[in-house]
Amino acid sequence: MSDLDKISANQEGFNLRARAHLQSSYYDVEKFKQGHNMLRRLEREELGDVRGRSLLELQCHIGVNSLSLARMGAQVTGTDISDEAIDIARGLAGELDLDAKFVQANLYDLPQVLDGQFDMVFTGYGTLSFLPDIPRWAEVAAQFVKPGGTLTIVEIHPILNLFDSVDGELRVVRSLFQSRQVHHEMSKSYADRIEDEVEVEKHSIYGWRWTVEEVVNSLIAAGLTIERLREVPYDARQRLPLMESDGDHNWRIAGDPIPLSFACVARK
Ligand SMILES: C[S@@+](CC[C@H](N)C(=O)[O-])C[C@H]1O[C@@H](n2cnc3c(N)ncnc32)[C@H](O)[C@@H]1O
C-alpha cells in the first residue's frame, strides 16, 4: 500500500471520527460554543499573544482550536484533509459568527491550493504522527511562514510510544527506533479520558512515529532557526490508564517520570 493510499484511508477514518468527535469530551463542543478556549495549556503558552497576527493552523480537524485563536484576535486560516472536519469547522464559524477561513487539502498539496504567508504557523496535538514524510512536512510548513514569523509545534512526546501501563506501572514495551509505522483497525476514537472514548464506525488509521530529533532537524533543514524547545510532564488527554487529570485538561503520571508533551518554536 502506498503512502498516498494510507493518507486516503486516514482521510476516510478522520471523516468518520470528525462526526463522532461532536460527542467527544476531548472537544466538548458545547463548552466551546459557550466561549471556552479549546487550546491546551502548552499550546496557549507557546503561541502567546496572537492578537492581530495572521495564523495558519495545519491539521486543524473540526476547527475548535482555530476558532479559539480567532476569538483571541488572530486572523485565522485552518486546513485539514478531512472534508467532514472542515464542514464542521465552517459550520461552527458560521453559527458563532467567528471570522476564520477553512481550506480542505492534503498537507502535501497545500502549496498548490493556498496562497500567501502567515505571521504564525501552528500545529497542535496529534498531527505529525499521521504524516509519512516529516522533512517534506517541514518544507511545506516553512513555506507558509513570513520572513521573521514563527512555526509552533505542540505535540505528544514520542517517548510515550515506548510505554504501556502494565499492572498499574509504566513499562517499556516498544523501541523508539524500531516499529516506526503503525496501522490500527479502530471502532473508537479519543476523548479526554480513556473510559469516555466515542464509538465510531470501523476504520483504519495509519501512523508514522517521529523522534524529536527528526522533527527538529527537519525544521533546521527547511531553513528555520530553532528558538525554543520544551518538554513537559503533562499531556492533553489520558493516553494510559495511569495518567491522572490535574483538572485543567492536563494529564500527568505520578512523580512526572517522563516528558509527555513537547513544544518547539522555530523562526524564519
Ligand atoms: C488527531 S486530529 C488532531 C488535530 C488537532 N491538533 C486537534 O487537536 O484537534 C489529526 C488531524 O490531522 C488530519 N490529517 C491527517 N493526515 C493529514 C494530511 N495528510 N493532510 C492534512 N491533514 C491531515 C486529520 O484529518 C485530523 O483532522
Side-chain angles (χ1 to χ4, degrees):
M1 196 174 184
S2 70
D3 284 348
L4 210 52
D5 290 337
K6 291 178 184 175
I7 288 174
S8 296
N10 284 349
Q11 178 180 10
E12 277 175 40
F14 273 105
N15 277 342
L16 294 169
R17 287 170 155 218
R19 291 283 155 204
H21 284 164
L22 291 172
Q23 265 69 54
S24 167
S25 57
Y26 185 78
Y27 290 105
D28 207 341
V29 172
E30 284 316 308
K31 211 167 145 191
F32 164 70
K33 285 184 184 175
Q34 288 157 22
H36 184 75
N37 187 329
M38 298 306 289
L39 294 170
R40 307 297 151 139
R41 175 172 155 194
L42 191 57
E43 295 173 326
R44 283 197 304 269
E45 286 179 3
E46 291 305 316
L47 286 165
D49 187 358
V50 300
R51 270 174 305 174
R53 317 294 301 282
S54 58
L55 189 152
L56 173 66
E57 185 186 2
L58 303 172
Q59 295 174 252
C60 67
H61 199 47
I62 60 173
V64 292
N65 288 338
S66 297
L67 293 171
S68 296
L69 287 158
R71 279 179 176 148
M72 290 163 73
Q75 297 146 24
V76 177
T77 301
T79 177
D80 198 282
I81 197 170
S82 161
D83 25 294
E84 289 283 346
I86 291 295
D87 264 6
I88 292 171
R90 287 182 182 141
L92 287 170
E95 182 182 339
L96 301 170
D97 201 16
L98 291 168
D99 192 13
K101 176 178 162 189
F102 289 99
V103 178
Q104 186 275 327
N106 177 358
L107 178 122
Y108 297 106
D109 298 335
L110 205 53
Q112 283 93 64
V113 297
L114 182 65
D115 286 329
Q117 289 186 313
F118 298 80
D119 297 320
M120 307 176 85
V121 175
F122 165 59
T123 198
Y125 281 105
T127 55
L128 303 184
S129 63
F130 301 109
L131 301 176
D133 185 341
I134 280 298
R136 180 62 195 145
W137 161 82
E139 286 170 4
V140 170
Q143 173 177 335
F144 286 104
V145 182
K146 275 186 191 167
T150 52
L151 168 61
T152 301
I153 306 168
V154 174
E155 255 296 14
I156 308 157
H157 201 293
I159 203 164
L160 189 57
N161 291 325
L162 312 193
F163 294 93
D164 229 329
S165 297
V166 180
D167 302 329
E169 285 186 5
L170 202 56
R171 195 80 59 80
V172 175
V173 292
R174 283 173 218 99
S175 158
L176 183 63
F177 299 103
Q178 290 166 23
S179 62
R180 307 297 298 275
Q181 289 198 34
V182 287
H183 171 220
H184 298 294
E185 293 289 337
M186 324 258 306
S187 51
K188 283 192 170 178
S189 189
Y190 54 91
D192 207 30
R193 61 181 70 231
I194 292 167
E195 66 184 39
D196 297 338
E197 284 183 348
V198 285
E199 303 282 335
V200 191
E201 204 177 302
K202 199 165 172 216
H203 60 285
S204 262
I205 291 289
Y206 292 87
W208 292 264
R209 295 194 166 127
W210 303 107
T211 62
V212 173
E213 174 195 304
E214 287 165 329
V215 174
V216 170
N217 284 339
S218 71
L219 298 176
I220 296 167
L224 301 176
T225 302
I226 307 301
E227 201 154 88
R228 196 161 63 245
L229 184 64
R230 275 181 78 189
E231 296 179 304
V232 298
Y234 49 82
D235 195 347
R237 68 177 175 88
Q238 187 186 37
R239 282 174 224 278
L240 297 175
L242 49 60
M243 288 167 70
E244 293 166 0
S245 170
D246 72 357
D248 181 27
H249 296 283
N250 283 307
W251 294 82
R252 309 180 85 107
I253 298 173
D256 294 338
I258 55 168
L260 298 181
S261 307
F262 78 97
C264 184
V265 179
R267 196 173 290 276
K268 188 156 173 181

